[in-house]
Amino acid sequence: MENLRVEEAIEQLLMYTKAVQEAETVSLLSANGRILAEDMKAERDNPPFDRAPVDGYACKAEDLAGALPEKQVTLKVIREVDAGEYFDGTVQHGEAVRIMTGAAIPAGCNCCVRQENTDYGEDTVQIYKSMEQWEDYCFQGEDFKKGTVLLKKGTKLSFIEIGILASMGVAEVPVIRRARVAVLTTGDEVMKPGEELKLGKIYDCNQSLLAARLMDFGAELTRIDKIPDNPQDMAEAVREAAEVSDLIITTGAVSVGKKDIMHEVVRILGAQRIFWRLEMKPGMPTLFSVYEGTPMLSLSGNPFGAAVSVDLLIRPMIQKLTQDDTLRPVRKKCTLTNDFGKSVGGRRYVRAVTDGETVTIPTKIHSNGILSTMAGCNCLIEMQKGKTGSHAGEEAEVLLL
């Protein structure tokens, strides 16, 4: 298949992408950002006892009838209970227990009086306010009851869910294994950042760009490597990567030049070629193949093309692999604040900045080989084929990054 529309390409990509089924158990803090592999059910009530929500005195509401600032009620203080302590006695009429927030309320009490409404007494306490039964009183299981499913399988864990799991007493969490992705770049003209740049060479930005974005998506990088412009070398790298990866991403060497080796690599591997070329700019010379069940998406070597493709094409694949619904693309209709004069021969994606209501296109170079002008951009504008230009005030289709 050649010259597919973006929607058709994504359909093919997802058809050959299989959701990760394997689960693993990780420590509580390591589970942040991961996807639950099973329902999480409470094994006990929380709180596990009736609990004081205030600093003050636990007592019987009946003993406080008619209490006012000018008509105090005096109770005998029989014990102090701090948070973490437990008093197994029973409070009788005319008695009170000095209590701190979070402490277990002793038997016989049905309210807690805030210390601000008392004289802070130690042996006896004068109380200036009447109370209703169960006022300022937290019941056992008020947060959740034993047997309640608190978090469903497929939930993405954030700091809130981590806190809930901690309150359940969970120290290790069953989560879906991360998507394993290899990033292989090719091009004898590129060098690794940190190396002394030689004449005729450029630094490889695609590798770092793709790796960083894949980590944003929660992927585990199985291999990050630059391979020489040699079909046999790249084929061997793909073979090795396929043994440990759910997805292989390559950049460069997908067009029709002398050094565009990926077509030959597919032939050497005996991989199934699914499509080549898309009706989109940048990223038109995209090649998709499957090697022994492992999908391999080969992207253009243009930096902006790689930046567009990672969100437009790779993101849905990672979403399916990880079952992470937060990775689903988010699109909005926004109002353009400035003009963009270039005509659109095919569907085009333009870097831009949005505040959620309006969208602005940077007035700088928009070449596919230029990445620097994407700094600060948080979206792409999708322009449809045949459009002769865009103008301020028009509605634009925006893909949030």
Side-chain angles (χ1 to χ4, degrees):
M1 291 184 284
E2 293 190 13
N3 298 317
L4 272 65
R5 293 185 298 109
V6 171
E7 293 81 5
E8 294 171 331
I10 293 174
E11 184 177 319
Q12 291 297 314
L13 294 172
L14 296 181
M15 183 182 300
Y16 292 95
T17 301
K18 298 177 182 178
V20 174
Q21 299 299 327
E22 299 94 330
E24 60 184 0
T25 300
V26 300
S27 66
L28 181 62
L29 291 183
S30 297
N32 193 31
R34 303 293 294 274
I35 305 298
L36 267 183
E38 60 186 60
D39 291 348
M40 298 301 293
K41 184 184 295 186
E43 295 185 357
R44 58 187 58 80
D45 293 343
N46 189 52
F49 46 76
D50 293 349
R51 181 176 63 87
V54 297
D55 291 334
Y57 297 82
C59 59
K60 296 179 182 291
E62 300 90 323
D63 288 342
L64 306 181
L68 295 168
E70 61 276 12
K71 184 183 177 183
Q72 306 95 344
V73 169
T74 301
L75 301 178
K76 180 182 179 181
V77 179
I78 63 170
R79 181 71 179 262
E80 178 173 317
V81 182
D82 295 327
E85 296 181 346
Y86 190 81
F87 174 49
D88 59 4
T90 300
V91 175
Q92 306 296 326
H93 283 290
E95 296 179 340
V97 167
R98 183 81 163 95
I99 202 162
M100 302 301 164
T101 300
I105 299 175
C109 300
N110 58 20
C111 70
C112 294
V113 182
R114 295 175 184 271
Q115 62 185 14
E116 297 91 324
N117 296 316
T118 75
D119 68 349
Y120 294 75
E122 295 183 1
D123 297 323
T124 61
V125 60
Q126 292 185 344
I127 297 175
Y128 311 142
K129 181 185 177 184
S130 61
M131 301 285 288
E132 299 292 333
Q133 285 191 7
W134 317 121
E135 188 175 351
D136 282 335
Y137 192 106
C138 292
F139 290 94
Q140 177 175 330
E142 186 175 74
D143 189 358
F144 53 79
K145 296 286 188 181
K146 179 180 179 180
T148 303
V149 174
L150 295 178
L151 299 172
K152 291 280 192 179
K153 176 182 178 180
T155 299
K156 185 170 186 177
L157 303 176
S158 71
F159 70 101
I160 295 297
E161 289 77 20
I162 295 297
I164 292 171
L165 289 168
S167 70
M168 295 167 66
V170 173
E172 294 186 325
V173 188
V175 294
I176 298 294
R177 171 178 64 73
R178 291 187 187 277
R180 296 170 179 161
V181 187
V183 178
L184 306 175
T185 57
T186 185
D188 290 341
E189 75 281 10
V190 296
M191 299 185 67
K192 293 181 180 180
E195 295 179 337
E196 185 176 351
L197 195 63
K198 298 178 182 178
L199 291 175
K201 306 284 188 179
I202 59 172
Y203 286 122
D204 182 357
C205 66
N206 287 349
Q207 185 180 98
S208 299
L209 180 154
L210 291 169
R213 193 57 169 151
L214 286 164
M215 287 190 288
D216 284 345
F217 298 156
E220 175 187 337
L221 300 174
T222 56
R223 182 173 179 179
I224 309 173
D225 209 351
K226 184 179 86 68
I227 311 301
D229 281 335
N230 181 292
Q232 294 292 345
D233 289 345
M234 177 59 87
E236 183 57 30
V238 171
R239 288 192 189 97
E240 294 174 358
E243 293 179 359
V244 294
S245 305
D246 303 305
L247 172 63
I248 299 171
I249 306 297
T250 74
T251 62
V254 290
S255 192
V256 293
K258 182 179 178 180
K259 290 294 186 100
D260 289 320
I261 64 172
M262 289 309 301
H263 302 280
E264 178 65 9
V265 170
V266 171
R267 188 194 66 77
I268 292 171
L269 291 169
Q272 181 183 2
R273 177 171 158 148
I274 308 301
F275 66 71
W276 181 48
R277 288 183 175 172
L278 302 179
E279 291 184 359
M280 61 178 277
K281 293 182 180 181
M284 180 271 290
T286 297
L287 173 66
F288 179 52
S289 55
V290 179
Y291 172 63
E292 295 189 349
T294 302
M296 178 168 66
L297 186 62
S298 301
L299 307 176
S300 162
N302 287 323
F304 184 57
V308 169
S309 296
V310 71
D311 267 79
L312 194 66
L313 305 178
I314 298 174
R315 182 172 180 156
M317 300 177 78
I318 301 297
Q319 188 275 321
K320 184 173 181 181
L321 281 167
T322 60
Q323 303 160 61
D324 182 355
D325 287 341
T326 66
L327 293 179
R328 291 189 184 278
V330 178
R331 294 174 179 269
K332 294 196 70 174
K333 299 285 187 180
C334 295
T335 304
L336 266 173
T337 63
N338 59 343
D339 295 343
F340 185 75
K342 290 189 177 182
S343 297
V344 183
R347 186 181 299 186
R348 180 169 186 156
Y349 294 87
V350 178
R351 66 202 84 189
V353 181
T354 182
D355 59 8
E357 300 296 332
T358 63
V359 61
T360 302
I361 300 172
T363 56
K364 298 178 180 179
I365 300 175
H366 282 264
S367 166
N368 295 343
I370 300 294
L371 190 62
S372 61
T373 56
M374 199 174 176
C377 292
N378 60 1
C379 68
L380 299 170
I381 296 177
E382 184 177 75
M383 296 184 175
Q384 297 300 322
K385 181 178 179 179
K387 192 169 178 59
T388 57
S390 299
H391 305 282
E394 290 182 354
E395 188 177 70
E397 179 81 11
V398 170
L399 174 66
L400 302 183
L401 299 179

